[in-house]
Amino acid sequence: AQSVTQLDSHVSVSEGTPVLLRCNYSSSYSPSLFWYVQHPNKGLQLLLKYTSAATLVKGINGFEAEFKKSETSFHLTKPSAHMSDAAEYFCVVSDNQAGTALIFGKGTTLSVSS
Amino acid sequence: KAGVTQTPRYLIKTRGQQVTLSCSPISGHRSVSWYQQTPGQGLQFLFEYFSETQRNKGNFPGRFSGRQFSNSRSEMNVSTLELGDSALYLCASSLGSSGSTPDTQYFGPGTRLTVL
């Protein structure tokens, strides 16, 4: 069975400093992995997805993630945090090839201070 | 293109009642998935409909059901409501193609259900 574990429930950074949100996955086959972001009172938005092409995936708003099979990790990074990055972030694995049955991690709340 | 729309945005019901939630996918999308979001359990997959057929199902009791119409619009029904059904219900649409890589799912704003 597929699963994801987000290692931090809350991460606090200062504006302009790097962001690291950690995610480990478990999958019985080559997984499709995603990062979604949810801003308060807004819908979920896809940041990026990994589908076994390049292991370093670039997403929107300067975010990127690296798939490391040996470590079963898919950590999300951004070189410089912006106040508008404050939101909840979900690491997600697809439970089917079509990507229509997603398994979500518990989420990491990112706080950004000025 | 218009995004995924869900109606109503807010609902208040009492225990034992039933409720129907509606989701209109992005034009051209044939797959609609439903998710439940609660503070305790997080986001959980309920089921997916494609071409009017349930294609995938999560681990929820039979009180949760759904259907999809020929125009790809979908409804979700919860019967005999319990307090624990209070949640944000999200639907997501995608093309639903069966290619080698998964489609991107686009989420609606959700319906906030409160059961009293």
Side-chain angles (χ1 to χ4, degrees):
Chain A
Q2 276 56 249
S3 67
V4 288
T5 302
Q6 293 185 242
L7 301 176
D8 307 292
S9 59
H10 190 250
V11 170
S12 296
V13 300
S14 299
E15 193 174 23
T17 64
V19 175
L20 170 64
L21 305 184
R22 300 182 295 162
C23 173
N24 287 348
Y25 71 89
S26 174
S27 178
S28 53
Y29 50 82
S30 182
S32 293
L33 294 161
F34 311 77
W35 277 97
Y36 277 84
V37 61
Q38 187 175 36
H39 287 92
N41 299 318
K42 290 192 175 182
L44 283 159
Q45 182 183 23
L46 178 68
L47 279 177
L48 49 83
K49 65 179 177 180
Y50 166 76
T51 56
S52 77
T55 56
L56 182 62
V57 184
K58 294 188 182 301
I60 61 172
N61 300 335
F63 285 95
E64 63 181 37
E66 186 171 9
F67 174 76
K68 291 187 176 180
K69 186 176 180 179
S70 60
E71 299 175 11
T72 62
S73 69
F74 190 58
H75 301 335
L76 181 70
T77 60
K78 182 174 181 177
S80 176
H82 191 272
M83 295 293 286
S84 61
D85 295 329
E88 187 152 22
Y89 292 78
F90 296 94
C91 181
V92 181
V93 64
S94 177
D95 201 28
N96 66 343
Q97 189 168 2
T100 52
L102 300 179
I103 298 173
F104 284 77
K106 292 294 187 185
T108 298
T109 301
L110 176 65
S111 299
V112 182
S113 58
S114 58
Chain B
K1 275 188 182 178
V4 178
T5 58
Q6 292 186 246
T7 56
R9 292 294 310 279
Y10 301 91
L11 264 179
I12 299 176
K13 293 287 188 179
T14 57
R15 279 180 299 174
Q17 287 186 311
Q18 75 165 14
V19 68
T20 299
L21 313 181
S22 180
C23 173
S24 292
I26 293 171
S27 176
H29 285 190
R30 297 169 63 194
S31 168
V32 174
S33 297
W34 288 89
Y35 297 83
Q36 181 196 64
Q37 186 175 22
T38 61
Q41 298 299 316
L43 272 151
Q44 294 181 282
F45 171 72
L46 280 155
F47 33 65
E48 180 222 354
Y49 284 85
F50 178 80
S51 291
E52 302 179 63
T53 302
Q54 188 179 89
R55 187 162 69 169
N56 291 283
K57 188 178 188 304
N59 189 26
F60 277 80
R63 299 186 297 107
F64 293 82
S65 63
R67 59 178 175 168
Q68 187 179 35
F69 302 95
S70 58
N71 61 358
S72 294
R73 190 177 69 85
S74 177
E75 288 182 345
M76 189 191 100
N77 185 273
V78 188
S79 63
T80 319
L81 283 166
E82 300 176 359
L83 294 178
D85 296 334
S86 294
L88 181 67
Y89 290 88
L90 296 164
C91 83
S93 77
S94 63
L95 291 170
S97 56
S98 56
S100 59
T101 60
D103 290 330
T104 296
Q105 287 207 308
Y106 296 86
F107 283 81
T111 293
R112 172 79 59 186
L113 173 64
T114 301
V115 182
L116 303 176

